[in-house]
Amino acid sequence: PLSAPGGGSAGSRGASPARTTLAPREAAARRKGKARRSRGKARTEGMLNKQKRSRRMKANDRERNRMHHLNSALDALRSVLPTFPDDAKLTKIETLRFAHNYIWALTQSLRLA
């Protein structure tokens, strides 16, 4: 239900009588559509690539920090595990398996004691 041009609806308040060839809502939709198209092109060309690059860099930083923390935690775990020889560095999976078996062995010894 569009009102006639010059009617008392909220959409026609600021429209001048000379520009009311279209219904107020249609005119507003046309203006918005044109503005969106021109902004959309500018954004998709340069800004989208910049955003993607920025997001990728942030994701890379998060992953780098995550791996740094994981490696630090594994180093701390290696420092408390008894290894022979002492200078041998266990791989990540070896460290986890050894820690699991070591905890299991300690649990069994506590149960027997």
Side-chain angles (χ1 to χ4, degrees):
L2 295 174
S3 62
S9 70
S12 64
R13 282 185 193 155
S16 66
R19 299 188 80 193
T20 57
T21 56
L22 293 174
R25 291 182 185 168
E26 291 174 11
R30 278 186 136 178
R31 283 192 303 272
K32 286 181 184 177
K34 286 182 182 179
R36 282 184 189 153
R37 270 186 250 130
S38 64
R39 279 190 229 142
K41 284 182 183 177
R43 183 174 180 177
T44 57
E45 291 171 4
M47 293 296 286
L48 194 60
N49 288 335
K50 254 185 193 180
Q51 267 186 340
K52 284 183 180 179
R53 206 174 310 127
S54 174
R55 287 178 183 163
R56 176 53 30 212
M57 288 176 66
K58 287 178 183 178
N60 289 346
D61 286 342
R62 285 193 303 271
E63 179 64 12
R64 192 176 306 111
N65 285 333
R66 187 186 73 82
M67 288 305 298
H68 176 72
H69 287 93
L70 178 64
N71 289 332
S72 297
L74 285 168
D75 286 339
L77 183 58
R78 283 185 194 106
S79 70
V80 296
L81 292 174
T83 57
F84 301 105
D86 290 331
D87 58 350
K89 183 180 176 183
L90 300 172
T91 65
K92 292 176 184 178
I93 192 70
E94 288 172 344
T95 303
L96 292 174
R97 286 182 179 145
F98 190 173
H100 175 268
N101 292 336
Y102 186 60
I103 292 168
W104 180 82
L106 290 175
T107 303
Q108 292 300 318
S109 66
L110 285 174
R111 282 186 186 156
L112 294 174

